[in-house]
Amino acid sequence: MTDAAANTQVFVITGPSGVGKGTLISLLRERHPGLGLSVSATTRAPRPGEVDGVSYHFLSPEQFAAKVDAGEFVEHADYSGNRYGTLRSELERHRETGGVVLEIELQGARQIRVSMPEAHQIFIAPPSAETLRKRLVGRGTDAPEEIERRLAVAEEELAARDEFAHVVVNDDLERAAGQLDAIVSGYHPPAR
Ligand code: ADP
Ligand code: 5GP
């Protein structure tokens, strides 16, 4: 299983929905242009502006199940009524790039911890539960009932932060981005 990512530093970035994982990863990749991003597969419907094959590989439930049966995922999980997973082919695509980021939820991070113990796991935490709610609402991508579902899952996710070797509190964006950069730079020197 770890073979797919041979020679590649794998960075697992997890944390509750709306905490700022995507925002921080964009900033991180500006500082580390050689760092690849694993494009996940999902059965969730695309949000406006999301592009198939770039934001996600958008699959039907049947297509997703077929890939599970074929052993094409290194991890997969159910989240808020949809399925999400990391395709082995995404790790292979970044095999030679020196580093790849997986932006995944808690159950997937736990699976990777078992199958790829050499991966670096980083938990992104909100400064408070109230801030998390405000960010999810402010992002404007999810209906109120979906936001409530995500906040319910977040309670469980936040309780897991001590499982992670690295925790970044996303309070001030620049500060948090700097801390994440420093962690990643310890394993993956930025381009000169
Ligand atoms: P995630 O990928 O974890 O679901 P996003 O990156 O989409 O989260 O961020 C959720 C919302 O919070 C976005 O609207 C984003 O612009 C905002 N955001 C992210 N980080 C911060 C921060 N440090 N301070 C204020 N707003 C932030
Ligand atoms: P969203 O619907 O907001 O894009 O993602 C919902 C949750 O699924 C987020 O916590 C995100 O990190 C997680 N996620 C995205 N891709 C994957 C994946 O490949 N595997 C797992 N386990 N979770 C994922």
Side-chain angles (χ1 to χ4, degrees), residues 27-37 97 99 188-192:
L27 293 173
L28 180 68
R29 294 184 69 229
E30 283 174 14
R31 299 175 193 204
H32 295 260
L35 203 52
L37 182 65
T97 61
H188 183 270
R192 299 264 167 238

Side-chain angles (χ1 to χ4, degrees), residues 15-24 47 103 131 135-136 138-140 150 170-174 176:
S17 181
V19 74
K21 299 181 297 296
T23 306
L24 285 168
R47 294 177 180 138
E103 194 239 284
T131 308
R135 286 188 191 160
L136 270 176
R139 186 168 70 184
R150 286 174 180 242
N170 184 16
D171 38 23
D172 175 72
L173 186 59
E174 278 309 309

Side-chain angles (χ1 to χ4, degrees), residues 13-18 21-22 25 38-42 44-45 47 50 55-56 58 64 73 75-80 82-87 102-112 136 139 141-142 146 150 153 157:
I13 298 193
T14 192
S17 181
K21 299 181 297 296
I25 291 168
S38 165
V39 178
S40 295
T42 185
R44 162 166 88 57
R47 294 177 180 138
E50 284 187 331
S55 319
Y56 277 106
F58 292 102
F64 196 103
F73 287 106
E75 63 75 29
H76 61 89
D78 290 347
Y79 176 91
S80 194
N82 285 297
R83 304 186 83 181
Y84 294 80
T86 303
L87 291 161
L102 272 53
E103 194 239 284
I104 63 179
E105 54 68 71
L106 178 64
Q107 303 164 70
R110 286 175 171 159
Q111 291 170 40
I112 296 286
L136 270 176
R139 186 168 70 184
T141 52
D142 299 293
E146 176 64 23
R150 286 174 180 242
V153 178
E157 294 173 314

